[in-house]
């Protein structure tokens, strides 16, 4: 429990008569709502709801945002429990379909005007145009909709959303069926659009983008990554009438038909761009584009050129023309050298995010320049920059006290480097994958001072042992994401130390051959916030681990148990118990019979959204079960390997 939660709980009591020694029944719902707003930890808010009906009523009247995990309670939640909702997230609501969505919003709208302004339906593949029509009709104040990764969504779904005339933000990423016709419906019906993403909507052409530019003059942010559009689209975008009055970010990453001339026409005369992402869309940067960068000198804050041929002279020009840059992306720009980085950062002293992933020519000299000129840097990505070492990182750690994220994957750094990085007390994210020279000693340095750490990647750091995890758990108690894949010296004892990480949500333990169900039981009982767990090739994990997960890991949503020694009984109990589980990968479960798979899948078919199994099961599982899974919107990935199972 957080400090705020303990303060409320001080003095014992509980119920409606006593809470922290003060009767809450005399307080108004508005005051109680303000108290709840000051509790940053969701667990503290939940504790208040559980011990006091007054707090429960206050939250019901005051709550503005909701993320639903199951579809069954939706009508009650919208109609009675939380009438003041403004933001509704249904992206994790398994088996959500048109009928369920329509019934929920129609029932709630019948009792009064819904206040919902923002709805997230990302990956809600069961929702189609009928459900969207009902949603738009019931929510007259709708301003933002996220339909990302609904791969079956097309023009009819876009037409349904077009009825929301007040829509300002729309995400259609990877809605593969949306064409120019669907985009036309949206832009005509929603002329107030300010933010739009049609990333991966590869049926949209220059025609659709041209109409968008004509009909949506308020557009501020546009993502057209991976579209098969060319320079015509960029010229259309540049003609937006109010563009000079607005900040605009444009993402044209991987638009193969865009040229340097097209980018130049987009920038020409538009001196209010803030962000420009042109990753992997050009073979080289032309002089015509470079000459236009100067027009963005006062406003451009983010520039991504990932995967392009970037020379030292280009970086020098960028440094001269874009002195207000806060973010620069040069990932996989193989020609980047120390000289280029030095000339860039000498003038761009405001940089906070620098991505040099796979720029394998840079050395400690580049880090020296960054440390000397960019004292406010917060994010530094150096994956596969194998020529840097602890000397360069010492200068970064000494001169960049605000560093919050650093990626050193495959850099070969050692414990001495971690000793220097331990000076960065604000560090939140540390990635050390494939750094085999790191040992428990290095983790001890980090644990002593980097107490705010929330994400740590130790992939294939195979010198790490249980002692290192003990140090980590004692000092870095806020860790939420931890990758220990292939750290094969770790045993159940090490997992016992990790059980102290109460905020842990994502844990990857792939190929830890020394752990058993005992270690998994420790994780399950201690890490109650766990959402994702990877146990692939943990060959000694058995039913004991699954039973512990079934009992204690009630928030688990994604699980990988491929190659584990579990049986049909353990699998069935797991899938029937975990009500939040939506994604499970279970390849090569040799001890699970056909009947075991059948019973387990039937126990969870209404909740699963993604499933990974051997293709051999396709022909032996009952057809009605597979049809039922499909009807509930579950996507099955079949792995084409021989089906092998053993008799108990």
């Amino acid at each position: 429990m957080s400090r705020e939660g303990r303060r409320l709980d001080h003095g014992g009591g509980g119920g409606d008569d006593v809470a922290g020694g003060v009767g809450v029944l005399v307080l108004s719902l508005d005051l109680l709502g303000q108290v709840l707003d000051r509790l940053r930890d969701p667990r503290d808010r939940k504790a208040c709801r559980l011990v006091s009906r007054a707090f429960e009523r206050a939250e019901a009247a005051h709550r503005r945002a909701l993320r639903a995990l199951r579809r069954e309670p939706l009508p009650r939640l919208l109609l009675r429990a939380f009438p003041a909702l403004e933001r509704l997230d249904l992206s994790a609501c398994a088996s959500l379909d048109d009928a369920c969505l329509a019934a929920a919003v129609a029932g709630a709208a019948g009792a009064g005007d819904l206040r919902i302004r923002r709805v997230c339906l990302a990956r809600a593949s069961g929702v189609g145009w009928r459900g969207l029509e009902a949603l738009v009709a019931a929510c007259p104040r709708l301003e933002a909709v996220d339909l990302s990764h609904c791969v079956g969504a097309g023009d009819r779904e876009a037409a349904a959303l077009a009825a929301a005339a007040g829509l300002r933000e729309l995400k259609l990423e990877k809605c593969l069926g949306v064409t120019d016709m669907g985009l036309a419906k949206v832009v005509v019906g929603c002329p107030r659009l300010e933010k739009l993403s049609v990333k991966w909507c590869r049926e949209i052409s220059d025609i659709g983008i041209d109409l968008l530019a004509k009909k949506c003059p308020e557009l501020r942010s546009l993502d057209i990554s991976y579209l098969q559009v060319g320079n015509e689209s960029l010229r259309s975008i540049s003609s937006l009438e109010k563009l000079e009055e607005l900040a605009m970010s444009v993402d044209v990453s991987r638009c193969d038909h865009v040229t340097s001339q097209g980018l130049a026409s987009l920038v020409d005369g538009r001196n209010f761009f803030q962000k420009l992402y042109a990753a992997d869309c050009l073979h080289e940067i032309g002089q015509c584009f470079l000459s236009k960068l100067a027009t963005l000198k006062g406003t451009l804050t983010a520039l991504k050129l990932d995967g392009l041929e970037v020379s030292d002279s280009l970086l020098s020009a960028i440094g001269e023309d874009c002195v207000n840059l806060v973010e620069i992306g040069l990932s996989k720009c193989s020609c980047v050298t120390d000289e280029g980085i030095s000339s860039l950062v000498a003038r761009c002293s405001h940089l906070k995010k620098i991505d040099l992933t796979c720029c394998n020519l840079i050395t400690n000299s580049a880090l020296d320049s960054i440390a000397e000129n960019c004292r406010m840097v917060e994010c530094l990505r150096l994956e596969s920059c194998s020529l840097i070492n602890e000397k360069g990182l010492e200068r970064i750690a000494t001169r960049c006290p605000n560093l919050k994220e650093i990626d050193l994957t495959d850099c070969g750094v050692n414990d001495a480097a971690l000793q220097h990085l331990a000076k960065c007390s604000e560090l939140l994210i540390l990635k050390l994958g494939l750094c085999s020279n790191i040992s428990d000693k290095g983790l001890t340095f980090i644990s002593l001072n980097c107490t705010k750490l929330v994400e740590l990647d130790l992939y294939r750091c195979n010198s790490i042992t249980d002692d290192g995890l003990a140090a980590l758990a004692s000092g870095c108690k806020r860790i939420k994401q931890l990758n220990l894949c292939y750290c094969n010296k770790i045993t159940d004892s090490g997992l016992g130390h990790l059980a102290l990480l109460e905020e842990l949500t994502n844990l990857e333990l792939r190929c830890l051959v020394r752990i058993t169900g005992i270690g998994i039981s420790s994780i399950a009982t201690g890490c109650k916030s766990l959402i994702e767990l990877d146990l692939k090739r943990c060959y000694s994990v058995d039913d004991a681990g699954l039973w512990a997960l079934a009992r204690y890991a009630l928030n688990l949503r994604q699980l990988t148990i491929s190659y584990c020694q579990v049986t049909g009984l353990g699998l069935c109990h797991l899938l029937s118990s975990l009500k939040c589980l939506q994604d499970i990968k279970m390849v090569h479960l040799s001890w699970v019979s056909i009947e075991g798979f059948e019973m387990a899948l039937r126990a969870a078919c209404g909740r699963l959204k993604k499933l990974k199994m051997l293709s051999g099961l396709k022909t032996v599982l009952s057809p009605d079960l597979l049809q039922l899974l499909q009807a509930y919107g579950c996507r099955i990935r079949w792995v084409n390997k021989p089906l092998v199972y053993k008799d108990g």
Side-chain angles (χ1 to χ4, degrees):
M1 182 178 289
S2 70
R3 182 180 302 172
E4 294 90 342
R6 288 193 295 270
R7 189 179 297 126
L8 273 178
D9 193 53
H10 179 67
D16 289 335
D17 296 328
V18 180
V22 179
V24 297
L25 288 176
V26 298
L27 301 179
S28 68
L29 292 182
D30 183 61
L31 285 174
L32 292 175
Q34 292 185 42
V35 171
L36 291 171
D37 283 345
R38 284 166 171 76
L39 297 178
R40 291 169 290 181
D41 191 330
R43 292 173 297 181
D44 292 338
R45 292 195 290 271
K46 183 178 181 180
C48 289
R49 293 199 309 268
L50 292 176
V51 301
S52 170
R53 293 189 182 91
F55 273 118
E56 185 179 22
R57 290 191 295 269
E59 188 190 38
H62 197 68
R63 188 164 186 166
R64 298 292 185 266
L66 175 70
R67 189 171 194 259
L69 300 180
R70 294 185 294 119
R71 67 177 189 172
E72 290 79 13
L74 269 182
R76 178 182 62 82
L77 293 176
L78 296 181
L79 178 58
R80 293 187 295 273
F82 306 115
L85 280 180
E86 295 182 353
R87 302 183 299 279
L88 181 61
D89 186 349
L90 301 175
S91 60
C93 197
S95 64
L96 184 69
D97 56 20
D98 284 341
C100 179
L101 180 59
V105 297
D113 185 17
L114 282 178
R115 301 182 182 181
I116 294 176
R117 298 178 183 273
R118 308 177 72 88
V119 176
C120 179
L121 292 165
R123 290 183 168 83
S125 55
V127 174
W129 63 273
R130 293 183 179 87
L132 293 175
E133 278 188 349
L135 176 69
V136 171
C139 304
R141 305 182 187 185
L142 201 60
E143 294 181 352
V145 175
D146 185 351
L147 211 62
S148 302
H149 296 275
C150 293
V151 292
D155 290 343
R156 294 195 74 173
E157 286 71 28
L161 292 173
L167 207 62
R168 297 181 183 276
E169 298 180 24
L170 180 59
K171 289 186 177 181
L172 296 173
E173 295 176 14
K174 222 164 190 179
C175 292
L176 303 182
V178 175
T179 69
D180 288 335
M181 183 65 70
L183 182 59
K185 293 279 188 180
V186 169
V187 301
V188 171
C190 309
R192 300 178 185 176
L193 272 180
E194 296 178 1
K195 295 183 178 181
L196 176 66
S197 175
V198 287
K199 184 177 182 178
W200 276 112
C201 297
R202 294 181 64 85
E203 298 300 318
I204 292 177
S205 69
D206 291 331
I207 297 173
I209 300 300
D210 181 61
L211 184 62
L212 167 68
K214 292 177 179 177
K215 295 294 184 180
C216 296
E218 307 290 336
L219 207 61
R220 293 174 180 267
S221 176
L222 177 63
D223 188 346
I224 55 174
S225 305
Y226 297 90
L227 267 61
Q228 299 185 42
V229 296
N231 295 339
E232 287 297 325
S233 289
L234 299 190
R235 279 190 283 270
S236 298
I237 293 170
S238 68
S239 68
L240 286 167
E241 293 181 1
K242 292 188 177 182
L243 186 58
E244 66 271 15
E245 300 173 8
L246 300 172
M248 181 179 178
S249 76
V250 177
D251 192 334
V252 293
S253 301
R254 293 187 182 273
C255 293
D256 297 333
H257 302 289
V258 169
T259 67
S260 188
Q261 290 81 6
L263 278 179
S265 67
L266 176 65
V267 173
D268 189 18
R270 306 301 179 189
N271 57 350
F272 284 88
F273 274 104
Q274 285 188 334
K275 302 178 182 180
L276 181 59
Y277 301 153
D280 300 298
C281 71
L282 303 172
H283 296 294
E284 59 181 359
I285 301 291
Q287 188 60 40
C288 56
F289 174 64
L290 281 178
S291 63
K292 302 299 181 182
L293 272 181
T295 64
L296 304 178
K297 184 174 184 178
T299 59
L300 193 66
T301 59
L303 179 63
K304 286 189 178 181
L305 303 173
D306 302 346
L308 308 188
E309 291 188 13
V310 178
S311 64
D312 293 343
S313 58
L314 173 60
L315 290 178
S316 179
I318 292 173
E320 291 178 1
D321 295 335
C322 307
V323 294
N324 290 323
L325 277 182
V326 174
E327 175 184 356
I328 184 71
L330 300 171
S331 173
K332 300 180 182 178
C333 297
S334 57
C335 297
V336 172
T337 68
D338 293 341
E339 183 180 350
I341 294 299
S342 297
S343 60
L344 172 70
V345 299
R347 299 174 179 87
C348 297
S349 58
H350 301 296
L351 280 170
K352 292 185 178 182
K353 184 175 181 180
I354 303 173
D355 189 351
L356 299 175
T357 299
C358 295
C359 295
N360 48 28
L361 297 180
I362 70 166
T363 69
N364 290 335
S365 177
L367 298 189
D368 289 345
S369 299
I370 293 172
E372 183 64 33
N373 296 283
C374 305
R375 302 291 180 91
M376 301 303 292
V377 69
E378 296 179 357
C379 175
L380 188 56
R381 295 178 179 168
L382 301 167
E383 178 180 351
S384 296
C385 296
S386 56
L387 299 180
I388 65 172
N389 58 33
E390 64 274 12
K391 295 180 180 179
L393 293 173
E394 179 183 10
R395 298 181 184 95
I396 291 290
T398 302
R399 301 176 184 177
C400 303
N402 294 318
L403 192 67
K404 292 180 172 62
E405 175 183 349
I406 186 165
D407 187 348
L408 297 170
T409 302
D410 198 22
C411 288
V413 295
N414 55 21
D415 291 338
L418 295 192
Q419 185 175 13
H420 298 310
L421 287 176
K423 301 173 186 175
C424 302
S425 59
E426 299 297 315
L427 201 61
L428 299 175
I429 299 174
L430 177 59
K431 297 185 178 182
L432 301 169
L434 297 170
C435 294
S436 56
N437 294 324
I438 289 173
S439 70
D440 296 339
K441 183 179 179 181
L443 285 190
T444 302
F445 291 136
I446 294 297
S447 66
L448 291 175
N449 198 42
C450 300
T451 57
K452 296 181 180 180
L453 203 65
V454 296
E455 181 178 345
L456 178 62
D457 186 349
L458 296 171
Y459 175 81
R460 288 191 184 272
C461 295
N462 45 31
S463 295
I464 300 297
T465 72
D466 296 338
D467 292 338
L469 297 189
L472 188 68
S474 66
C476 302
K477 296 183 179 298
R478 298 184 183 180
I479 288 183
K480 297 180 182 294
Q481 299 183 43
L482 180 60
N483 187 344
L484 296 172
C485 293
Y486 299 94
C487 297
N488 48 32
K489 293 183 179 179
I490 292 173
T491 70
D492 289 336
S493 178
L495 298 192
H497 297 307
L498 294 184
L500 299 175
L501 301 177
E502 296 181 356
E503 299 184 25
L504 192 65
T505 60
N506 297 60
L507 180 60
E508 298 181 59
L509 302 174
R510 182 170 299 196
C511 210
L512 300 195
V513 295
R514 300 187 182 190
I515 67 172
T516 68
I518 296 173
I520 301 305
S521 298
S522 299
I523 293 293
T525 54
C527 305
K528 298 293 182 60
S529 300
L530 203 61
I531 293 175
E532 295 184 16
L533 178 62
D534 187 349
L535 298 174
K536 183 177 180 180
R537 295 187 183 275
C538 295
Y539 300 110
S540 298
V541 171
D542 54 15
D543 284 353
L546 296 197
W547 282 76
L549 290 173
R551 182 173 182 179
Y552 299 108
L554 302 182
N555 293 311
L556 203 61
R557 296 178 199 162
Q558 183 173 321
L559 177 64
T560 302
I561 53 173
S562 300
Y563 296 89
C564 293
Q565 291 190 26
V566 301
T567 68
L569 182 62
L571 184 63
C572 187
H573 180 61
L574 178 82
L575 293 188
S576 62
S577 301
L578 295 181
K579 304 302 182 184
C580 294
L581 190 65
Q582 298 182 354
D583 183 345
I584 184 167
K585 299 175 179 64
M586 43 185 192
V587 177
H588 284 295
L589 300 186
S590 302
W591 294 95
V592 180
S593 65
I594 304 303
E595 293 76 13
F597 280 113
E598 187 89 18
M599 289 189 297
L601 290 174
R602 287 190 182 278
C605 64
R607 302 187 298 272
L608 293 178
K609 297 181 73 172
K610 294 177 70 177
L611 186 59
K612 184 177 180 180
M613 298 187 297
L614 288 174
S615 58
L617 290 171
K618 187 188 302 187
T619 58
V620 294
L621 291 174
S622 57
D624 66 301
L625 171 60
L626 298 179
Q627 292 173 6
L628 189 62
L629 287 167
Q630 185 176 7
Y632 277 115
C634 179
R635 289 178 290 167
I636 305 177
R637 179 183 172 188
W638 299 104
V639 179
N640 190 23
K641 292 183 179 180
L643 176 63
V644 178
Y645 65 95
K646 304 175 183 179
D647 296 328

